Amino acid sequence: MELLPVGELGTVTARQVAEAIRADTALVTIMYANNEIGSIMPIQEIGEICRERGAIFHTDAVQAVGHLPIHVQRQSIDMLSLSAHKFHGPKGIGALYARQGITLSSIIEGGAQERGKRAGTENVPAIAGMAAALEEACAHMSERAAKTAVLRDRLIDGLGQIPYAILNGDPLNRLPGNVSFCFESVEGESLLLLLNDRGICASTGSACASGSLVPSHVLLAIGRTADAANGALRLSLCEDNTDADVDTILKAVPETVFYLRSRFMSWQNGVKGKTR
Ligand SMILES: *Cc1c(COP(=O)(O)O)cnc(C)c1O
């Protein structure tokens, strides 16, 4: 298995994929859009290269489905994973698309009702909920994405004014609901707690890493220092957010960042004072 590095915007290029594919490459898998920093990968170009070179192309499109237009045939996608709760569907249900002609071997033993791929009875309410949520998301996708992107860009412009704030991810080619910054010399977990007190729900990066104080591998991969990666803030927006929400955040985040930095400075000065 070969892992491809990403550039400073957090994307993999089609050229990198082309150079990595060998005669015996069975599968290429590239996430559609990054969950922490929002960067969207050149999926169609990568798909075309994989198709040309005879490698199966899978994409983890969990962040993209319901938010970005996807066309598996046009984009030469052979397999695609999606998860319902990322587009307002129920938790605990997702789907794997596999184009006709792809044969999958089972990782676990399965029953015929799941085509031998897994055991268990289908969770029909969750499946129906996922389908309804997906229809709803797709029916309103372009106007919701446009509305959310306007809020996103206001936040990015505003938070970008904070000294030593670094925007993470691709400024242009970005999920409509993703805002990700690193604030140097700020402790991300403290920032989250103080924002939470002001009614703002945010994360430092990935929900899968919540409770972990290890700097995000994604932020390190795009070249952030450990100090910067420690001060990560991710805000996720959807069409239900408002201009007033953005105003609240644009007031709370700078105030909190300045407060934490001033505490940090006086702590540093205190330490220096003692050792002198
Ligand atoms: C949320 C997420 C997952 C995991 O999906 P769950 O259904 O929550 O397990 C996988 N990949 C990406 C990119 C995600 O954002």
Short mmCIF file of all heavy atoms in Angstrom, two decimals, residues 8 31 46 52 87 96-97 111 116 130 147 185 208 219 235 252 267:
data_model
loop_
_atom_site.label_atom_id
_atom_site.label_comp_id
_atom_site.label_asym_id
_atom_site.label_seq_id
_atom_site.Cartn_x
_atom_site.Cartn_y
_atom_site.Cartn_z
N GLU A 8 -0.06 21.83 0.40
CA GLU A 8 -0.37 22.71 1.54
C GLU A 8 -1.87 23.05 1.63
O GLU A 8 -2.33 23.51 2.66
CB GLU A 8 0.48 23.97 1.50
CG GLU A 8 0.32 24.76 0.23
CD GLU A 8 1.26 25.98 0.19
OE1 GLU A 8 2.20 26.03 1.00
OE2 GLU A 8 1.01 26.86 -0.67
N MET A 31 -10.36 10.46 -0.54
CA MET A 31 -11.58 11.07 -0.02
C MET A 31 -12.03 12.21 -0.93
O MET A 31 -11.21 12.88 -1.54
CB MET A 31 -11.40 11.53 1.44
CG MET A 31 -10.58 12.75 1.63
SD MET A 31 -10.00 12.97 3.36
CE MET A 31 -11.43 12.61 4.34
N ILE A 46 -8.94 12.37 -11.19
CA ILE A 46 -8.36 11.15 -10.60
C ILE A 46 -9.11 9.92 -11.12
O ILE A 46 -8.51 8.92 -11.49
CB ILE A 46 -8.41 11.23 -9.05
CG1 ILE A 46 -7.48 12.34 -8.55
CG2 ILE A 46 -8.02 9.88 -8.43
CD1 ILE A 46 -7.60 12.66 -7.06
N GLU A 52 -8.37 4.84 -16.98
CA GLU A 52 -7.39 4.63 -18.06
C GLU A 52 -6.38 3.54 -17.71
O GLU A 52 -6.00 2.74 -18.56
CB GLU A 52 -6.57 5.92 -18.20
CG GLU A 52 -6.73 6.70 -19.47
CD GLU A 52 -5.95 8.02 -19.32
OE1 GLU A 52 -4.71 7.98 -19.14
OE2 GLU A 52 -6.63 9.06 -19.33
N PHE A 87 -25.96 14.48 6.06
CA PHE A 87 -26.91 15.32 5.30
C PHE A 87 -28.28 15.31 5.98
O PHE A 87 -29.32 15.22 5.33
CB PHE A 87 -26.99 14.92 3.81
CG PHE A 87 -27.12 13.45 3.51
CD1 PHE A 87 -28.36 12.82 3.55
CD2 PHE A 87 -26.02 12.69 3.17
CE1 PHE A 87 -28.49 11.47 3.28
CE2 PHE A 87 -26.13 11.33 2.89
CZ PHE A 87 -27.37 10.72 2.94
N LEU A 96 -22.69 1.95 0.55
CA LEU A 96 -21.55 1.81 -0.35
C LEU A 96 -22.10 1.61 -1.75
O LEU A 96 -22.86 0.67 -2.00
CB LEU A 96 -20.68 0.60 0.03
CG LEU A 96 -19.56 0.27 -0.95
CD1 LEU A 96 -18.50 1.37 -0.98
CD2 LEU A 96 -18.91 -1.07 -0.59
N TYR A 97 -21.77 2.53 -2.64
CA TYR A 97 -22.12 2.35 -4.05
C TYR A 97 -20.99 1.57 -4.71
O TYR A 97 -19.82 1.87 -4.48
CB TYR A 97 -22.27 3.73 -4.73
CG TYR A 97 -22.15 3.66 -6.24
CD1 TYR A 97 -23.24 3.32 -7.04
CD2 TYR A 97 -20.93 3.93 -6.87
CE1 TYR A 97 -23.11 3.23 -8.42
CE2 TYR A 97 -20.80 3.85 -8.25
CZ TYR A 97 -21.90 3.49 -9.02
OH TYR A 97 -21.77 3.39 -10.38
N GLY A 111 -25.18 -12.81 5.25
CA GLY A 111 -26.36 -13.51 4.76
C GLY A 111 -26.70 -13.07 3.34
O GLY A 111 -26.23 -12.02 2.88
N GLY A 116 -24.37 -11.41 0.88
CA GLY A 116 -23.25 -12.13 1.46
C GLY A 116 -22.17 -11.24 2.07
O GLY A 116 -21.13 -11.72 2.50
N MET A 130 -32.64 7.63 5.44
CA MET A 130 -31.50 8.07 4.65
C MET A 130 -31.96 8.50 3.25
O MET A 130 -31.55 9.55 2.74
CB MET A 130 -30.45 6.96 4.54
CG MET A 130 -29.32 7.26 3.57
SD MET A 130 -27.91 6.17 3.78
CE MET A 130 -28.55 4.65 3.10
N LYS A 147 -26.14 29.51 -0.26
CA LYS A 147 -26.45 30.29 0.96
C LYS A 147 -25.40 30.02 2.04
O LYS A 147 -24.90 30.94 2.69
CB LYS A 147 -27.85 29.88 1.46
CG LYS A 147 -28.31 30.70 2.64
CD LYS A 147 -29.58 30.20 3.29
CE LYS A 147 -29.70 30.90 4.65
NZ LYS A 147 -30.45 30.14 5.63
N SER A 185 -0.53 30.04 19.30
CA SER A 185 -0.46 30.32 20.74
C SER A 185 -1.83 30.42 21.40
O SER A 185 -2.08 31.27 22.26
CB SER A 185 0.34 31.60 21.01
OG SER A 185 1.64 31.45 20.51
N CYS A 208 -13.95 12.39 15.36
CA CYS A 208 -13.37 11.09 15.71
C CYS A 208 -12.19 11.27 16.65
O CYS A 208 -11.74 10.33 17.29
CB CYS A 208 -12.90 10.35 14.47
SG CYS A 208 -14.02 10.50 13.10
N LEU A 219 -3.69 18.44 9.93
CA LEU A 219 -3.07 19.76 10.04
C LEU A 219 -1.55 19.64 9.95
O LEU A 219 -0.89 20.49 9.33
CB LEU A 219 -3.50 20.44 11.35
CG LEU A 219 -5.01 20.73 11.41
CD1 LEU A 219 -5.40 21.31 12.77
CD2 LEU A 219 -5.44 21.68 10.29
N LEU A 235 -15.45 25.12 12.35
CA LEU A 235 -16.86 25.47 12.47
C LEU A 235 -17.58 24.87 11.26
O LEU A 235 -17.13 25.02 10.13
CB LEU A 235 -17.03 26.99 12.46
CG LEU A 235 -16.42 27.72 13.67
CD1 LEU A 235 -16.10 29.16 13.32
CD2 LEU A 235 -17.35 27.66 14.86
N ALA A 252 -17.44 36.56 19.23
CA ALA A 252 -16.95 35.67 20.30
C ALA A 252 -15.55 35.13 20.03
O ALA A 252 -14.72 35.07 20.96
CB ALA A 252 -17.93 34.51 20.48
N TRP A 267 1.05 34.22 31.90
CA TRP A 267 1.58 32.99 32.48
C TRP A 267 3.06 32.87 32.13
O TRP A 267 3.90 32.62 33.00
CB TRP A 267 0.80 31.78 31.94
CG TRP A 267 1.38 30.47 32.39
CD1 TRP A 267 1.24 29.88 33.61
CD2 TRP A 267 2.22 29.61 31.63
NE1 TRP A 267 1.93 28.69 33.64
CE2 TRP A 267 2.54 28.50 32.45
CE3 TRP A 267 2.74 29.65 30.32
CZ2 TRP A 267 3.36 27.45 32.01
CZ3 TRP A 267 3.54 28.61 29.88
CH2 TRP A 267 3.84 27.52 30.72
#
